[in-house]
Amino acid sequence: FGSGKSVGSQLEIPRRAAMQRGSPLDGRRKRRIAVVRETMPQLRDTTMKTWFDWFPNGSLGTYHGLTKTYHIKKDEMDCEVIFRALDDESDVSNLLSLELTGAYLNEFRDIRQVIVEAIDGRLGRYPRMVDGGPTWIGMWGDSNMPEVGSYWWCVLEGKDPADGKTPKPNQAVKFVQPPAM
């Protein structure tokens, strides 16, 4: 607790935006990143609060409250950071037609498998090929360790979530922070 996992994960957003190749049309480095938390109170009271502690409105970009989007327009960076609370299957419809480059899952152990799978289907759709396509696509997140046998434990351990035992290699990379001394 209090180790900087969420801050480090949020700092990854402008870092990834800066790494995007510029569009052959206008040179802009376009990205669209979803920032996801399970509920709206959690998103507002923790995730967004941390974001605005590091990137106050007007510093790196402009926040649009109606769409819950922070638009980074700095130098050649053009990155939309879309904040979303996604709790269960009924929230999957909030992802329909959403074109994303990547997604950051804050406290990912609370994000359900159906949400993760829906987000995964939206990745790599922005920027469009006319703008050079995405240089990188993917998801990352921060969390304390998930419960043994849970969906996220299986993902991190390379096990099939259906039975928790069968090896199921994936592209997940796990970084474990050493415990406090």
Side-chain angles (χ1 to χ4, degrees):
F1 298 104
S3 64
K5 295 182 300 288
S6 296
V7 171
S9 291
Q10 290 191 14
L11 292 172
E12 185 71 4
I13 294 170
R15 187 181 87 80
R16 290 276 178 192
M19 293 168 56
Q20 171 65 31
R21 74 177 146 255
S23 166
L25 301 177
D26 59 10
R28 307 287 301 163
R29 298 175 183 268
K30 298 178 181 183
R31 289 265 180 193
R32 189 174 292 140
I33 306 290
V35 175
V36 178
R37 186 76 195 255
E38 187 179 24
T39 69
M40 182 50 71
Q42 292 168 339
L43 181 71
R44 181 189 59 239
D45 298 344
T46 62
T47 312
M48 292 177 75
K49 191 171 189 67
T50 299
W51 177 266
F52 288 113
D53 282 349
W54 287 88
F55 307 111
N57 191 19
S59 62
L60 186 61
T62 305
Y63 180 68
H64 306 278
L66 186 61
T67 59
K68 291 184 182 48
T69 302
Y70 187 97
H71 200 151
I72 299 170
K73 279 195 167 184
K74 188 123 177 122
D75 302 322
E76 70 279 350
M77 272 197 295
D78 188 348
C79 179
E80 297 171 64
V81 182
I82 302 170
F83 294 93
R84 291 288 181 268
L86 301 171
D87 184 24
D88 57 31
E89 293 165 43
S90 65
D91 290 327
V92 169
S93 63
N94 293 329
L95 297 170
L96 297 177
S97 299
L98 190 59
E99 298 175 338
L100 297 171
T101 310
Y104 157 53
L105 310 179
N106 182 226
E107 297 296 344
F108 67 79
R109 70 180 181 177
D110 296 328
I111 308 293
R112 298 169 196 243
Q113 180 177 358
V114 66
I115 299 293
V116 175
E117 291 170 352
I119 291 169
D120 188 52
R122 311 312 311 164
L123 301 179
R125 297 174 178 230
Y126 188 85
R128 295 189 177 102
M129 293 312 293
V130 70
D131 284 311
T135 306
W136 171 91
I137 62 171
M139 271 187 266
W140 72 96
D142 62 77
S143 183
N144 291 310
M145 289 303 290
E147 185 177 318
V148 173
S150 69
Y151 164 73
W152 279 109
W153 179 86
C154 290
V155 169
L156 296 176
E157 296 300 322
K159 307 285 184 190
D160 186 343
D163 65 17
K165 297 176 185 171
T166 307
K168 185 174 182 183
N170 58 48
Q171 296 179 344
V173 178
K174 172 177 70 172
F175 298 93
V176 178
Q177 180 175 325
M181 301 292 285

